[in-house]
Amino acid sequence: MALNVGPLRKVLELEREKGYADTAVIGGLDKFLRRWAGQAMESITTPRLMTHIRRLRLDDPKYASLNQRQRKKWIADIFAFLESIKLESIKTEKAVEKPPPKKRITPPRRRVAAVSQATGRSLDLPITSLVGVSTAMAAKFGHLGVKTIRDLLYFFPHRHLDYSRTIFISELTDGEEQTITANVWQAQVTMLGGRRGTEAIVGDETGNVRAVWFNNPYIAKSLPTNARVVLSGRVRLFGGRHVFESPEWELLEDKELVHTGRLVPLYSLTRGLKPRQVRKLMKQVVDRFAGQVEDFLPLNLRERCKLLELPQAIMQAHYPEDETAKDGARVRLAFDELFLLQLGVLGRKHEWQESQPGTPVSLEKPALDTFLKSLPYELTAAQQKVLKEMLSDLEKPRAMSRLLQGEVGSGKTVVATAALLAAAASGYQGAFMAPTEILAEQHFSSVGELLSRTAGKVEDEDNLRRFSGLLAKPLNLALLIGDLKQASKQAVQQRVREGDIDIIIGTHALIQKDVGFNKLGLAVVDEQHRFGVAQRSALRQKGFNPHVLVMTATPIPRTLALTLYGDLDLSVIDELPPGRQSIKTRWLKQAQRASAYAFLKKQVAEGRQAFIICPLVEESEAIQARAAVAEYERLSRDVFPDLKLGLIHGRLSAAEKDAVMHKFRAGELDILVSTPVVEVGIDVPNATVMLVESADRFGLSQLHQFRGRVGRGSQQSYCMLLAENPSDIGRARLDLIEKIQDGFQLAEEDLKLRGPGEFFGTRQSGLPDLRMAKLSDVKLLELARAEAIRLFEQDPGLKQAEHRLLSAELARVWQAGGEWS
Ligand code: ADP
Ligand code: MG
């Protein structure tokens, strides 16, 4: 198909006839030309044509602002151009002819869903439809999650270099990033450090300076003598003279600077994509397409929150005019992320709570009171408060969605048990899900123990307990983990389906497809930070919109809680049971290992027990297990020949793990050597020493979890962290954990150290990506949440006309991963 120049020619002829008065087309020539150029550029294959269109500024015409003489000249130029291209062929709307992109196997990134809208449709075209993007380049972008033009627009630089201030050569100082504008006197290929490179001499009215590019002889060709060039980069002093070393460079033509002389974007790239190439492409894409992005925020909201318009924000995020514009862009884009996230989680909550009726649990007071009275201790005030909050939720006909946060060792298990009992007492099933099998087994045994205090008779089968003294009918408690023999797993599943099991405890196995419940009323998820939103929702779908309680000992700063768990109500146990002492924490070096072992022996001699956590070798369970076996053997043989050691790692069968934990809990073992699997939840009050190998390799919250394994009884406890030559960040973590006992405070510090993105990868949590938003943006997050709630109250279904775009954007952002489907 030929480039459709007919209408253009006609219009221009008419305009010429009418004396260049901009009256040939309604709406003005500029608008017409821009549209024409847009279509033309979408279909052009040769760079030459593109260059022409650009050079003539057909894509960005300023006809209206020209005087008559300029108009005449310009139109004449266009006619000349049209003559010259008569024979050019063009590519037709390539994307339309292509089959739809293949279904991806890996989960797509959030921004990728292709929802074409009435306008801005080209944004969802694959990037191969852009001139200059080859399939090979597109594949490289594909690895970065960038498939469509829209993805490119949202492929933000991770930072900007400030090359915005141009100085004179005479003002150059060594060591700093600086920018000059100069004439090229000479540029040539030369040998630099034994390889071919480029050397150039450039000058301005204040002097000359040398620039070198190692390993890059090609630049010489691009710097013709007398060309005007902008150089940005670091200057060093060599033999008393300044030299630019591999600066960014750019010829000063009458187009906007891309690589120099401004705030220059730095994109995180993978191998094969060249920064200059990407920057250039991004500039073109942003200039051309950012304007097509429709602003999905309702106008009144945008004005109230004083946010930039979306196209403007996207442009400024890539190629900001100045720092203020850059910040404004970030705020707008971060707001979008947080706002959409909040709308999503609130929508989820609304759906759970309103669209399906919950299961009101009528509390059997007597059973609950009996249970509470039978406990060997009194609940702390915080436990009582939280229990009350939960029980009142349970009685309501809308499903509870509650997050229970409580410091390590604050006693969450007993509160959860009370709630599970409440559900069972009124005829519903309860599920208790733990992140590891060891923890599931521990819960099975400790819930069993707590219940048995009030039960007249306990029948004890392998993974089943029957309590007959608590309720009118016997209460059945079962354990379901992946490790069980197939036959007994199936037997348990069968009984769960039939409603014969009242409380079921397990791991992820609980949310597997083949587990069906009879009458699930309450699901408790322990150590929630290990579970994603997706798993939470899978559990929900198991029953009849059950009440859900998620618990975590990983203290989460408020901003993060609102982000990750915005769909949940929050309860906090902010108090430890009485008598707990602070745990003495020391970072030890290799040289202090012997004294650490001696200390450990002394504690054992006093009747206490200890954990030794093996180094974090690798993510592979098999390798970790092998390392743990070796360490266990070494310790048993060489270090503690007189003590009783146990070993636990992920490769042991459920029965083996259970046997070891049982012995340790019963005091038959002095030291438990373990891979990091004991990280969460394990509760052995007589243990007073935690020794962690390679402590610098663990994160702060993990170290805090390890430390939380001791100090659970009334004895003074100790945490020894072995680390030789920690990295700076490792050292910072060790210093913090030595000083700080409070989990929340540690979490805040961790957030500062690690940066929000990594704190909890939002990816694993099943939420949309946060690229621009920082979790330290407390104000912005709260604003986004408040606006989301406000909008939700006005128009929960986003049905109103002015929310159409927003509704589409919400669907696009949330549905990409399909985790809710
Ligand atoms: P976490 O909140 O870390 O899950 P657990 O539920 O494992 O903590 O409880 C930690 C220990 O504290 C357990 O040994 C438990 O028996 C004990 N405990 C719980 N509540 C109290 C209390 N109110 N008074 C004394 N000890 C308690
Ligand atoms: Mg726990």
Side-chain angles (χ1 to χ4, degrees):
M1 190 179 118
L3 182 60
N4 196 4
V5 297
L8 176 63
R9 198 185 292 275
K10 280 218 183 73
V11 164
L12 291 178
E13 273 163 8
L14 187 59
E15 177 65 15
R16 191 164 56 184
E17 263 170 51
K18 290 187 153 194
Y20 308 106
D22 204 5
T23 49
V25 279
I26 297 168
L29 202 56
D30 283 342
K31 203 168 150 196
F32 172 83
L33 285 174
R34 200 173 294 124
R35 207 170 44 231
W36 182 88
Q39 282 167 2
M41 284 164 77
E42 206 131 53
S43 50
I44 282 172
T45 41
T46 61
R48 209 170 66 75
L49 268 182
M50 177 69 89
T51 318
H52 271 299
I53 289 182
R54 282 256 165 65
R55 193 156 286 162
L56 284 165
R57 287 186 157 272
L58 286 172
D59 56 330
D60 185 20
K62 300 269 190 309
Y63 188 74
S65 65
L66 301 180
N67 63 34
Q68 212 207 15
R69 192 178 49 78
Q70 291 167 320
R71 287 179 175 185
K72 191 173 166 186
K73 161 126 188 10
W74 191 52
I75 286 185
D77 287 346
I78 299 176
F79 275 120
F81 159 64
L82 291 180
E83 282 307 308
S84 77
I85 60 159
K86 265 185 181 156
L87 298 172
E88 296 275 9
S89 66
I90 56 145
K91 98 176 149 184
T92 54
E93 285 249 13
K94 182 175 158 198
V96 175
E97 290 170 354
K98 271 177 44 172
K102 258 198 237 142
K103 223 176 149 97
R104 261 160 298 175
I105 299 155
T106 49
R109 292 178 65 135
R110 291 292 163 183
R111 289 282 178 194
V112 175
V115 180
S116 297
Q117 292 162 3
T119 49
R121 180 169 289 145
S122 50
L123 297 182
D124 294 309
L125 292 177
I127 58 174
T128 43
S129 57
L130 292 167
V131 176
V133 177
S134 62
T135 352
M137 188 175 186
K140 288 170 192 161
F141 268 116
H143 292 306
L144 299 167
V146 174
K147 306 267 152 89
T148 64
I149 295 172
R150 186 191 302 275
D151 297 337
L152 258 188
L153 289 175
Y154 275 89
F155 182 63
F156 296 118
H158 62 100
R159 68 187 184 100
H160 289 85
L161 288 176
D162 188 355
Y163 291 156
S164 58
R165 215 175 64 84
T166 309
I167 59 170
F168 288 116
I169 289 176
S170 63
E171 295 174 296
L172 287 172
T173 49
D174 51 310
E176 281 172 43
E177 304 266 14
Q178 296 160 107
T179 299
I180 59 164
T181 305
N183 270 336
V184 178
W185 298 138
Q186 185 193 55
Q188 61 189 20
V189 177
T190 182
M191 293 304 283
L192 292 166
R195 319 213 21 197
R196 278 150 50 84
T198 295
E199 179 189 51
I201 307 291
V202 305
D204 65 11
E205 54 264 54
T206 68
N208 292 344
V209 67
R210 202 161 72 97
V212 293
W213 289 269
F214 296 100
N215 236 337
N216 199 339
Y218 309 102
I219 293 177
K221 273 204 249 34
S222 314
L223 297 175
T225 300
N226 281 330
R228 299 278 289 156
V229 69
V230 184
L231 300 182
S232 288
R234 230 176 266 282
V235 166
R236 288 192 203 291
L237 216 49
F238 269 118
R241 314 194 50 186
H242 286 130
V243 180
F244 269 104
E245 274 189 349
S246 300
E248 278 295 344
W249 63 275
E250 189 163 20
L251 291 182
L252 194 62
E253 292 162 327
D254 63 348
K255 60 183 171 67
E256 235 183 295
L257 292 173
V258 174
H259 310 291
T260 60
R262 60 172 310 139
L263 287 170
V264 175
L266 285 183
Y267 296 94
S268 332
L269 299 171
T270 52
R271 227 167 14 163
L273 282 168
K274 298 197 188 74
R276 284 178 73 86
Q277 174 192 29
V278 170
R279 237 181 257 145
K280 218 169 112 206
L281 175 72
M282 291 307 296
K283 183 76 173 87
Q284 288 170 9
V285 167
V286 167
D287 285 353
R288 169 113 187 279
F289 291 98
Q292 289 188 30
V293 177
E294 288 181 289
D295 201 328
F296 53 83
L297 285 186
L299 185 63
N300 63 355
L301 186 159
R302 192 165 61 70
E303 285 176 352
R304 186 168 52 242
C305 300
K306 300 191 177 61
L307 296 168
L308 280 188
E309 279 178 64
L310 185 53
Q312 191 60 20
I314 291 175
M315 274 182 241
Q316 297 295 330
H318 290 277
Y319 284 93
E321 270 155 34
D322 51 33
E323 289 288 341
T324 319
K326 190 180 94 179
D327 292 346
R330 196 194 71 77
V331 166
R332 162 66 210 251
L333 294 164
F335 178 89
D336 286 359
E337 291 174 352
L338 297 169
F339 181 64
L340 290 167
L341 199 145
Q342 289 297 327
L343 275 183
V345 292
L346 290 172
R348 247 355 101 177
K349 182 177 184 180
H350 181 80
E351 216 168 276
W352 289 334
Q353 295 195 324
E354 310 297 334
S355 65
Q356 311 175 51
T359 40
V361 166
S362 60
L363 298 178
E364 299 286 320
K365 271 271 178 246
L368 211 60
D369 286 343
T370 315
F371 171 76
L372 294 176
K373 279 208 200 83
S374 73
L375 294 176
Y377 42 74
E378 271 212 26
L379 292 187
T380 61
Q383 283 172 316
Q384 286 177 27
K385 186 184 92 213
V386 165
L387 183 60
K388 222 169 113 195
E389 287 168 350
M390 269 167 32
L391 295 178
S392 106
D393 276 1
L394 289 178
E395 284 181 304
K396 289 182 190 142
R398 48 152 63 180
M400 166 170 78
S401 269
R402 192 167 280 281
L403 173 67
L404 171 53
Q405 273 192 35
E407 176 66 285
V408 186
S410 61
K412 294 183 290 295
T413 317
V414 61
V415 177
T417 308
L420 287 165
L421 176 63
S426 60
Y428 289 98
Q429 289 175 299
F432 195 173
M433 186 156 77
T436 64
E437 301 207 332
I438 293 184
L439 197 50
E441 285 161 47
Q442 174 184 288
H443 281 331
F444 179 63
S445 100
S446 56
V447 170
E449 223 161 90
L450 287 170
L451 293 176
S452 71
R453 295 177 164 273
T454 48
K457 184 165 160 250
V458 179
E459 274 172 38
D460 203 345
E461 285 170 50
D462 214 6
N463 52 334
L464 283 164
R465 304 262 188 285
R466 168 176 288 245
F467 306 94
S468 49
L470 251 174
L471 308 176
K473 74 171 198 56
L475 186 159
N476 290 328
L477 175 75
L479 175 69
L480 183 63
I481 51 180
D483 248 20
L484 293 182
K485 286 202 200 70
Q486 197 57 27
S488 74
K489 220 185 321 191
Q490 277 167 357
V492 171
Q493 285 167 355
Q494 174 73 17
R495 294 178 66 175
V496 171
R497 256 194 306 276
E498 286 166 359
D500 181 39
I501 303 291
D502 302 287
I503 300 176
I504 175 108
I505 299 183
T507 55
H508 297 74
L510 278 192
I511 57 168
Q512 242 83 92
K513 280 199 192 64
D514 44 356
V515 183
F517 290 85
N518 183 271
K519 215 179 167 193
L520 181 61
L522 169 67
V524 179
V525 183
D526 195 19
E527 303 301 346
Q528 160 68 17
H529 62 286
R530 292 289 193 86
F531 286 101
V533 176
Q535 284 145 318
R536 240 190 280 159
S537 91
L539 187 63
R540 267 186 195 287
Q541 283 153 12
K542 284 288 163 200
F544 320 102
N545 201 22
H547 298 288
V548 172
L549 173 70
V550 297
M551 312 201 292
T552 179
T554 303
I556 304 165
R558 181 177 158 70
T559 49
L560 201 58
L562 283 180
T563 308
L564 292 187
Y565 309 123
D567 56 329
L568 306 175
D569 297 314
L570 196 62
S571 286
V572 180
I573 304 188
D574 51 7
E575 156 183 35
L576 292 177
R580 298 279 170 83
Q581 308 194 15
S582 77
I583 299 156
K584 295 203 165 126
T585 307
R586 283 287 169 277
W587 161 31
L588 304 176
K589 296 209 159 182
Q590 204 61 25
Q592 293 160 289
R593 176 183 292 276
S595 64
Y597 287 151
F599 180 78
L600 205 148
K601 271 184 201 153
K602 206 166 125 241
Q603 284 284 307
V604 171
E606 286 171 24
R608 307 281 88 78
Q609 290 165 282
F611 293 96
I612 296 182
I613 306 297
C614 297
L616 186 63
V617 195
E618 226 179 274
E619 286 303 314
S620 145
E621 219 177 46
I623 295 176
Q624 283 198 9
R626 231 177 296 139
V629 171
E631 180 69 355
Y632 165 76
E633 282 167 0
R634 185 185 76 82
L635 290 169
S636 310
R637 191 181 54 230
D638 304 339
V639 188
F640 306 111
D642 308 329
L643 303 186
K644 293 178 296 273
L645 274 68
L647 170 66
I648 199 154
H649 60 70
R651 276 301 174 94
L652 297 179
S653 73
E656 288 166 323
K657 280 183 226 169
D658 198 36
V660 176
M661 283 313 297
H662 194 270
K663 275 180 154 179
F664 190 61
R665 216 169 278 136
E668 293 164 28
L669 296 173
D670 302 313
I671 298 174
L672 185 63
V673 179
S674 170
T675 51
V677 291
V678 298
E679 178 197 341
V680 288
I682 299 296
D683 182 47
V684 179
N686 189 48
T688 55
V689 185
M690 166 59 70
L691 188 151
V692 183
E693 293 278 356
S694 310
D696 53 321
R697 309 266 304 265
F698 295 101
L700 262 185
S701 67
Q702 237 179 332
L703 290 174
H704 184 61
Q705 282 282 355
F706 287 139
R707 178 167 63 183
R709 295 313 109 218
V710 296
R712 298 190 146 235
S714 52
Q715 307 288 337
Q716 175 63 54
S717 293
Y718 306 86
C719 178
M720 300 190 282
L721 305 168
L722 278 163
E724 191 69 16
N725 290 327
S727 64
D728 285 350
I729 187 151
R731 181 182 299 261
R733 282 198 294 256
L734 292 169
D735 286 343
L736 284 169
I737 192 121
E738 269 193 340
K739 277 203 301 275
I740 301 174
Q741 294 274 331
D742 179 80
F744 281 86
Q745 211 184 326
L746 271 177
E748 295 284 354
E749 296 295 336
D750 204 12
L751 194 58
K752 280 187 215 153
L753 272 187
R754 284 210 264 176
E758 282 172 53
F759 188 83
F760 281 84
T762 47
R763 160 116 340 140
Q764 75 172 51
S765 67
L767 295 171
D769 253 359
L770 295 182
R771 301 183 183 188
M772 295 302 254
K774 298 183 202 143
L775 290 164
S776 47
D777 288 339
V778 185
K779 285 231 176 73
L780 194 63
L781 176 63
E782 277 169 356
L783 180 68
R785 185 165 172 88
E787 287 295 341
I789 290 170
R790 179 178 183 146
L791 186 80
F792 214 78
E793 277 164 3
Q794 276 172 21
D795 181 13
L798 298 184
K799 296 276 190 305
Q800 291 165 18
E802 74 259 37
H803 300 148
R804 184 182 56 82
L805 287 175
L806 178 58
S807 162
E809 181 71 6
L810 191 65
R812 210 166 57 71
V813 165
W814 274 88
Q815 279 171 6
E819 275 159 89
W820 292 107
S821 52

Short mmCIF file of all heavy atoms in Angstrom, two decimals, residues 111-137:
data_model
loop_
_atom_site.label_atom_id
_atom_site.label_comp_id
_atom_site.label_asym_id
_atom_site.label_seq_id
_atom_site.Cartn_x
_atom_site.Cartn_y
_atom_site.Cartn_z
N ARG A 111 1.65 -4.50 34.26
CA ARG A 111 1.22 -3.45 33.36
C ARG A 111 0.89 -3.96 31.97
O ARG A 111 0.65 -3.22 31.07
CB ARG A 111 2.34 -2.41 33.25
CG ARG A 111 2.50 -1.58 34.51
CD ARG A 111 1.45 -0.53 34.55
NE ARG A 111 1.55 0.26 35.77
CZ ARG A 111 0.57 1.06 36.15
NH1 ARG A 111 -0.53 1.18 35.45
NH2 ARG A 111 0.71 1.75 37.25
N VAL A 112 0.96 -5.26 31.80
CA VAL A 112 1.01 -5.75 30.44
C VAL A 112 -0.34 -5.99 29.78
O VAL A 112 -0.45 -6.00 28.58
CB VAL A 112 1.87 -7.03 30.39
CG1 VAL A 112 1.84 -7.63 29.02
CG2 VAL A 112 3.31 -6.68 30.75
N ALA A 113 -1.36 -6.15 30.57
CA ALA A 113 -2.63 -6.54 29.96
C ALA A 113 -3.03 -5.59 28.84
O ALA A 113 -2.87 -4.39 28.93
CB ALA A 113 -3.72 -6.53 31.01
N ALA A 114 -3.49 -6.15 27.78
CA ALA A 114 -3.83 -5.32 26.64
C ALA A 114 -5.33 -5.10 26.57
O ALA A 114 -6.07 -5.92 26.08
CB ALA A 114 -3.34 -5.97 25.36
N VAL A 115 -5.75 -4.01 27.13
CA VAL A 115 -7.15 -3.66 27.05
C VAL A 115 -7.25 -2.47 26.10
O VAL A 115 -6.90 -1.37 26.46
CB VAL A 115 -7.71 -3.25 28.43
CG1 VAL A 115 -9.16 -2.89 28.32
CG2 VAL A 115 -7.50 -4.37 29.42
N SER A 116 -7.67 -2.74 24.92
CA SER A 116 -7.76 -1.63 23.98
C SER A 116 -8.93 -0.77 24.34
O SER A 116 -9.98 -1.25 24.72
CB SER A 116 -7.93 -2.18 22.57
OG SER A 116 -6.81 -2.92 22.23
N GLN A 117 -8.72 0.50 24.24
CA GLN A 117 -9.81 1.41 24.51
C GLN A 117 -10.14 2.15 23.23
O GLN A 117 -9.45 2.02 22.24
CB GLN A 117 -9.40 2.39 25.59
CG GLN A 117 -9.25 1.68 26.92
CD GLN A 117 -8.45 2.50 27.90
OE1 GLN A 117 -8.06 3.61 27.60
NE2 GLN A 117 -8.21 1.94 29.05
N ALA A 118 -11.21 2.88 23.29
CA ALA A 118 -11.65 3.56 22.09
C ALA A 118 -10.54 4.44 21.52
O ALA A 118 -10.28 4.43 20.34
CB ALA A 118 -12.88 4.40 22.40
N THR A 119 -9.87 5.16 22.39
CA THR A 119 -8.77 5.96 21.90
C THR A 119 -7.49 5.40 22.49
O THR A 119 -7.51 4.57 23.36
CB THR A 119 -8.93 7.42 22.37
OG1 THR A 119 -9.20 7.38 23.75
CG2 THR A 119 -10.01 8.11 21.62
N GLY A 120 -6.38 5.91 21.99
CA GLY A 120 -5.11 5.45 22.52
C GLY A 120 -4.89 3.98 22.24
O GLY A 120 -4.13 3.31 22.92
N ARG A 121 -5.56 3.46 21.23
CA ARG A 121 -5.46 2.04 20.94
C ARG A 121 -4.03 1.65 20.58
O ARG A 121 -3.57 0.57 20.91
CB ARG A 121 -6.40 1.68 19.81
CG ARG A 121 -6.36 0.21 19.45
CD ARG A 121 -7.49 -0.15 18.52
NE ARG A 121 -8.76 -0.11 19.21
CZ ARG A 121 -9.91 0.27 18.63
NH1 ARG A 121 -9.92 0.68 17.40
NH2 ARG A 121 -11.02 0.25 19.31
N SER A 122 -3.34 2.56 19.92
CA SER A 122 -1.99 2.20 19.49
C SER A 122 -1.08 1.92 20.68
O SER A 122 -0.07 1.28 20.55
CB SER A 122 -1.41 3.29 18.62
OG SER A 122 -1.56 4.53 19.26
N LEU A 123 -1.46 2.39 21.86
CA LEU A 123 -0.64 2.13 23.04
C LEU A 123 -0.53 0.65 23.33
O LEU A 123 0.41 0.21 23.96
CB LEU A 123 -1.24 2.84 24.26
CG LEU A 123 -1.29 4.36 24.19
CD1 LEU A 123 -1.85 4.91 25.47
CD2 LEU A 123 0.08 4.93 23.91
N ASP A 124 -1.50 -0.10 22.90
CA ASP A 124 -1.46 -1.53 23.19
C ASP A 124 -0.88 -2.33 22.04
O ASP A 124 -0.89 -3.56 22.08
CB ASP A 124 -2.86 -2.01 23.55
CG ASP A 124 -3.31 -1.40 24.87
OD1 ASP A 124 -2.55 -1.50 25.84
OD2 ASP A 124 -4.39 -0.79 24.92
N LEU A 125 -0.38 -1.66 21.04
CA LEU A 125 0.32 -2.37 19.97
C LEU A 125 1.66 -2.86 20.51
O LEU A 125 2.25 -2.25 21.39
CB LEU A 125 0.57 -1.44 18.79
CG LEU A 125 -0.67 -0.98 18.01
CD1 LEU A 125 -0.26 -0.01 16.93
CD2 LEU A 125 -1.40 -2.17 17.43
N PRO A 126 2.12 -3.98 19.94
CA PRO A 126 3.45 -4.44 20.35
C PRO A 126 4.51 -3.43 19.94
O PRO A 126 4.32 -2.70 18.96
CB PRO A 126 3.62 -5.75 19.59
CG PRO A 126 2.64 -5.68 18.48
CD PRO A 126 1.51 -4.85 18.95
N ILE A 127 5.61 -3.42 20.67
CA ILE A 127 6.61 -2.40 20.37
C ILE A 127 7.27 -2.61 19.02
O ILE A 127 7.88 -1.71 18.47
CB ILE A 127 7.69 -2.29 21.48
CG1 ILE A 127 8.40 -3.62 21.69
CG2 ILE A 127 7.09 -1.83 22.76
CD1 ILE A 127 9.57 -3.50 22.66
N THR A 128 7.10 -3.80 18.46
CA THR A 128 7.65 -4.02 17.11
C THR A 128 6.96 -3.14 16.08
O THR A 128 7.47 -2.94 14.99
CB THR A 128 7.48 -5.49 16.67
OG1 THR A 128 6.18 -5.91 17.03
CG2 THR A 128 8.51 -6.38 17.32
N SER A 129 5.80 -2.61 16.42
CA SER A 129 5.15 -1.73 15.46
C SER A 129 5.78 -0.34 15.45
O SER A 129 5.41 0.51 14.65
CB SER A 129 3.65 -1.63 15.75
OG SER A 129 3.44 -1.19 17.06
N LEU A 130 6.74 -0.12 16.32
CA LEU A 130 7.47 1.15 16.30
C LEU A 130 8.59 1.06 15.28
O LEU A 130 9.28 0.04 15.20
CB LEU A 130 8.09 1.43 17.67
CG LEU A 130 7.15 1.72 18.81
CD1 LEU A 130 7.90 1.66 20.13
CD2 LEU A 130 6.50 3.09 18.63
N VAL A 131 8.76 2.11 14.54
CA VAL A 131 9.88 2.14 13.61
C VAL A 131 11.17 2.08 14.41
O VAL A 131 11.31 2.74 15.42
CB VAL A 131 9.84 3.44 12.78
CG1 VAL A 131 11.07 3.53 11.88
CG2 VAL A 131 8.58 3.46 11.97
N GLY A 132 12.09 1.25 13.98
CA GLY A 132 13.38 1.19 14.66
C GLY A 132 13.44 0.14 15.75
O GLY A 132 14.47 -0.05 16.36
N VAL A 133 12.33 -0.54 16.02
CA VAL A 133 12.38 -1.62 17.00
C VAL A 133 12.31 -2.96 16.27
O VAL A 133 11.28 -3.34 15.73
CB VAL A 133 11.23 -1.53 18.02
CG1 VAL A 133 11.27 -2.72 18.97
CG2 VAL A 133 11.32 -0.24 18.80
N SER A 134 13.42 -3.64 16.25
CA SER A 134 13.48 -4.93 15.57
C SER A 134 12.92 -6.01 16.49
O SER A 134 12.72 -5.78 17.68
CB SER A 134 14.93 -5.26 15.25
OG SER A 134 15.65 -5.36 16.46
N THR A 135 12.68 -7.17 15.91
CA THR A 135 12.20 -8.28 16.74
C THR A 135 13.23 -8.62 17.80
O THR A 135 12.86 -8.96 18.93
CB THR A 135 11.97 -9.55 15.89
OG1 THR A 135 12.12 -9.20 14.52
CG2 THR A 135 10.62 -10.12 16.15
N ALA A 136 14.50 -8.53 17.43
CA ALA A 136 15.55 -8.86 18.41
C ALA A 136 15.51 -7.90 19.59
O ALA A 136 15.57 -8.29 20.75
CB ALA A 136 16.91 -8.80 17.73
N MET A 137 15.34 -6.63 19.28
CA MET A 137 15.29 -5.64 20.34
C MET A 137 14.03 -5.84 21.19
O MET A 137 14.06 -5.74 22.42
CB MET A 137 15.28 -4.25 19.73
CG MET A 137 15.42 -3.13 20.73
SD MET A 137 15.54 -1.56 19.82
CE MET A 137 15.88 -0.44 21.15
#
